[in-house]
Structure formats: C-alpha cells, structure tokens
Amino acid sequence: MLYHSVEELVGNTPLLEFKTNEVDARIYVKLESMNPTGSIKDRACIYNIKDAIKNGKAPKNKILLDASSGNMACAIAFFGKVMGYKVKVICNTKLTEDKKQFIKYFGAELDVFGDITIEGNHLCKQWAETPEGQQKYCFLDQLHNPCNPMASFETLAPEIHNDLPDVSAIAGSMGSGGSMCGVARYFKKKNPSVKIITAQSASGTKIPGTGAFVDGDYITPFIVELRKLYDDTFMVNQQEAEWRTAQLAEQGIFGGFQSGAVLHTLIKGIQKHKIKGNTVMIIGDSGWKNMDKLKALIK
Ligand SMILES: Cc1ncc(COP(=O)(O)O)c(C=O)c1O
C-alpha cells in the first residue's frame, strides 16, 4: 500500500485474537498501539487540530497548546511538528519517562504540573485567555472539545462494526472518556444490543488513560454522557492490571498497564453478563511508551 502523508496512517488498526479458555466468548484486541505515535489519541488529536484549522483558530504562527496525561501530548508534539506548528503541552505526574523523551524528541515544550490533567487544563485556559495568549496560543482543550468523541464515533467505532458486524461487547478505558463516548454513541444508535463496558482505576491506583474517578479525577462532559450509555464499569487495581498486561504480552500483545486494566474489565463483564460470541477490547497504547513502568514486571 502506498501512502502520501503520515496522517493517512491514523486508524484502520487491526483486530487480533487474544486466546483464552477463561470465558466462553472470543476476545479480539483492537491494536490502537499501531497508530503513528503508538496510541489511540492520534485519532482525537488529528480531529482537534483539523477542526481548529478549519475554523481559523490555528494560523501557523500560533502555538498548539493542551494538557494531557501523556499520549495526547505525544500526538500533538508529533502531528504539530509534521504540520509545521510549535507545540506546548502540560502533562501531569502520570507521564512516563518514555513519553517525556518522545515529546522532547519531537521538539515540543513540556511542563509537568499537577496529578490530574484538569489542573494543566486550567493553566492552559488561563494562558490562552490573556490578551497576549489569544495572539500566541491555539488551545485544543481535549477535555471539552467535541471533536474528541467525534473522532471515535466517525472512525474507531465504524472500523469495529465493519470488521466484526456481530460484535457482542466492547471494552475500553476512560481517560477523558472521549474515545469510549464516541464508541458508545455509535453502537447505541447502530446496534444497542452491543454491551459497552468501561475500565477505571481503583482508588489509589494510577493507570495512564484510566481515570481514578473515585479519587476525584475530572469528570469531563464526555464521561457524563458515557455514564448514561455504558452497560457496566469496573474498577481495576494495579495488581490486576499488571497480571493481565503480562498475560497479553505472552501472546505478543504489547501494551501499557491500561491494556491489562481493559482485559480484566472485559473478562469481568463477560462473566457477569454471560456474554457470548465476539467481543473487543481496545488497547490504548504501546508497551514501548511505558517501558519505565513495565520494567517492574521483569523477574
Ligand atoms: C493508553 C490510553 N488508553 C486509553 C486512553 C483513553 O482515551 P480517552 O481520553 O479518549 O478516554 C488514553 C487517554 O489518555 C490512554 O492514554
């Protein structure tokens, strides 16, 4: 296949079977780790930037600005560079060392601030609203930008539907909630019998891309909507996430702890709701972006 721009490589990610005897259902993994920057956030990033360009909010002299737990920051650094923008991102303490190096490699300015993304988001908003900031920044605001769930509604969800028309359940994690909100919106319209199951971090657990809402992680408008759409949600602790991440790796499915959290959630959902047939779990990023955390599993 021939491609002419790296943006064309976003999406159309494969579904790979994860083999298990633990449940009656078949599990497929949607490998969002195979997007250009190795994460699901490439989809929302491209949608957010293109929408800003379309609406005249992103002339080339402006700096693209946003807050993130890491993967969106990587995506903005990468696509911003490719599209000829300067980028400034604020990440929170969940940022892995690998993602930090990635962001710097692609030349973005990086500040690490706060434990949750909304703290950085407030800072971005303050900067972008000053008279100087209005001239200087294009604040993408992934936590409130409707293009974030739209990206999954228009790309991720239809890809799953086309590849697996008889899918019976889909599980993914909630960070901003944008990805699963788009997926849930699509399937509740197209085929409401598909069970939507979401993963969140248990209290005291910090899994990137998997908010700990019990501990006060920010409830975005997408999570408010998603809570009305999903069929079930499960809290996953660090030990469960680690065990399941290692299980995936045994079959060459290489993700961060978010991947294990989602597998655990899907298996619990299948068991609780007696789900059969084809199911999908969405792996949010590549193990390569989490090696400094995954190394805890080296025996
Ligand atoms: C690894 C990973 N998976 C999933 C997600 C969830 O994405 P969303 O923000 O759309 O909920 C994120 C978001 O940061 C992530 O980093």
Side-chain angles (χ1 to χ4, degrees):
M1 275 223 191
L2 298 179
Y3 296 90
H4 303 283
S5 132
V6 74
E7 290 162 46
E8 295 169 24
L9 299 180
V10 177
N12 293 310
T13 53
L15 283 171
L16 176 65
E17 185 179 353
F18 171 73
K19 297 181 187 70
T20 178
N21 296 325
E22 206 177 324
V23 286
D24 278 345
R26 183 168 283 130
I27 296 178
Y28 287 97
V29 184
K30 180 77 170 156
L31 292 173
E32 287 299 291
S33 44
M34 294 187 69
N35 280 305
T37 80
S39 101
I40 192 169
K41 302 300 292 195
D42 287 4
R43 296 180 189 263
C45 176
I46 287 290
Y47 264 61
N48 292 352
I49 296 176
K50 286 196 171 164
D51 181 70
I53 293 171
K54 196 175 89 196
N55 291 310
K57 292 181 187 161
K60 282 281 156 67
N61 62 339
K62 283 203 175 179
I63 299 171
L64 302 180
L65 175 71
D66 212 346
S68 156
S69 66
N71 277 325
M72 178 60 103
C74 291
I76 303 171
F78 178 90
F79 288 106
K81 173 85 149 184
V82 169
M83 292 178 181
Y85 287 98
K86 283 194 175 142
V87 172
K88 181 171 171 73
V89 284
I90 305 182
C91 291
N92 59 51
T93 49
K94 283 183 192 158
L95 184 67
T96 65
E97 191 55 33
D98 305 291
K99 289 173 192 169
K100 189 175 180 177
Q101 297 308 329
F102 184 105
I103 292 163
K104 290 190 167 175
Y105 182 73
F106 281 97
E109 194 184 332
L110 167 69
D111 282 353
V112 178
F113 175 75
D115 286 338
I116 50 177
T117 307
I118 192 66
E119 296 175 76
N121 178 285
H122 285 151
L123 214 55
C124 291
K125 191 163 187 279
Q126 273 171 26
W127 293 342
E129 282 177 355
T130 63
E132 193 207 342
Q134 284 174 18
Q135 304 301 314
K136 194 170 168 189
Y137 295 117
C138 168
F139 176 31
L140 296 169
D141 196 4
Q142 62 145 333
L143 298 186
H144 306 98
N145 191 329
C147 299
N148 175 359
M150 193 53 73
S152 291
F153 179 83
E154 290 185 353
T155 69
L156 176 60
E159 286 169 27
I160 296 172
H161 174 72
N162 292 337
D163 287 341
L164 216 51
D166 61 350
V167 64
S168 50
I170 302 170
S173 65
M174 300 184 285
S176 72
S179 305
M180 285 309 286
C181 180
V183 168
R185 254 187 220 167
Y186 179 91
F187 280 96
K188 291 300 161 191
K189 215 161 131 190
K190 192 99 188 166
N191 181 0
S193 68
V194 178
K195 291 245 183 301
I196 304 294
I197 304 168
T198 62
Q200 43 184 308
S201 291
S203 182
T205 303
K206 286 188 179 182
I207 302 170
T210 316
F213 304 104
V214 272
D215 289 345
D217 274 10
Y218 178 61
I219 310 288
T220 67
F222 320 131
I223 290 176
V224 173
E225 182 182 342
L226 182 54
R227 282 178 165 173
K228 295 185 198 131
L229 297 175
Y230 63 53
D231 296 276
D232 214 339
T233 187
F234 294 90
M235 286 184 207
V236 184
N237 65 36
Q238 185 63 28
Q239 208 185 355
E240 292 161 337
E242 288 184 6
W243 164 50
R244 295 295 192 183
T245 301
Q247 271 190 337
L248 286 162
E250 276 168 27
Q251 293 184 32
I253 299 168
F254 183 42
F257 290 138
Q258 178 268 359
S259 65
V262 178
L263 176 61
H264 194 64
T265 292
L266 178 58
I267 289 181
K268 283 179 102 173
I270 291 172
Q271 289 167 339
K272 180 171 162 192
H273 298 280
K274 301 190 179 9
I275 294 165
K276 300 219 183 312
N278 291 321
T279 67
V280 169
M281 60 157 279
I282 300 168
I283 174 177
D285 70 359
S286 159
W288 284 118
K289 294 176 95 177
N290 298 276
M291 276 317 294
D292 56 316
K293 304 270 188 229
L294 292 177
K295 70 182 180 206
L297 303 185
I298 298 172
K299 295 203 178 85

